[in-house]
Amino acid sequence: MTLLGDSITAGFGLPSAEALPVRLEEALRAKGFRVRVRGAGVSGDTTGGGLARVGYSVQDDTDLCIVALGGNDMLQGVDPKTVRSNLEAIIASLKARDIPVLLAGMKAPPQYGAYAVEFDRIFADLARKEDVPTYPFLLEGVALDRRYNQPDGIHPNAEGVRIIADGLAPVVVKALSR
């Protein structure tokens, strides 16, 4: 399994043993799954960057690729049409290689107005259109909660990563069973 993403999946600001790939693997093993979760997160990456590297960042023997990109696009104000197009191309690239996809969504803060509405629709729309499972919001239960974030207010701390892994694990189990 591979986590294709950005700083959240790369474990920005955390020891490697507390990064999301490690914590997700632990959560899955606790559910009886013998899996290896490869981290393919690059801090600062956008959907465009993920598209540029999906061919070499996701190995051919991957039994599921969790695509967790979009947060940096949103922070940079990238046009949602571009984000959608990049994610579609990433999914198409993985499907062409017979690699199943789980799309992890991202949400824009409500103060982003119309941009937030258009951006937030991307993930559910694509999951439906491409018939791939989705985890609606990667940072569910963690975003904007100081208890679970590093001082920058964006990147989860170790406890935040644990919450993400625990929330994501059942969706991954279901996706692996498809």
Side-chain angles (χ1 to χ4, degrees), residues 133-155:
T134 185
Y135 185 64
F137 184 35
L138 184 64
L139 298 174
E140 186 65 45
V142 173
L144 305 176
D145 190 328
R146 287 188 173 143
R147 295 174 298 171
Y148 305 125
N149 283 279
Q150 295 178 44
D152 66 7
I154 295 173
H155 297 95

Side-chain angles (χ1 to χ4, degrees), residues 48-61:
L51 176 57
R53 65 186 178 84
V54 67
Y56 63 85
S57 289
V58 181
Q59 296 177 14
D60 288 336
D61 65 348

Side-chain angles (χ1 to χ4, degrees), residues 61-155:
D61 65 348
T62 300
D63 55 357
L64 178 68
C65 181
I66 301 168
V67 177
L69 290 160
N72 289 313
D73 297 78
M74 181 261 304
L75 291 172
Q76 295 172 20
V78 174
D79 186 329
K81 290 175 186 65
T82 300
V83 176
R84 179 183 303 267
S85 175
N86 289 338
L87 288 171
E88 281 177 327
I90 290 169
I91 293 168
S93 172
L94 292 166
K95 283 183 166 185
R97 295 168 54 201
D98 293 320
I99 298 173
V101 176
L102 188 155
L103 184 60
M106 190 54 62
K107 292 183 180 179
Q111 64 267 30
Y112 279 42
Y115 180 94
V117 172
E118 188 175 356
F119 181 87
D120 291 356
R121 274 195 209 125
I122 294 169
F123 302 93
D125 287 354
L126 274 181
R128 199 170 23 259
K129 178 184 175 220
E130 300 293 336
D131 191 30
V132 298
T134 185
Y135 185 64
F137 184 35
L138 184 64
L139 298 174
E140 186 65 45
V142 173
L144 305 176
D145 190 328
R146 287 188 173 143
R147 295 174 298 171
Y148 305 125
N149 283 279
Q150 295 178 44
D152 66 7
I154 295 173
H155 297 95

Side-chain angles (χ1 to χ4, degrees), residues 35-48:
V35 297
R36 179 172 175 236
V37 179
R38 295 179 186 126
V42 173
S43 292
D45 214 359
T46 61
T47 57

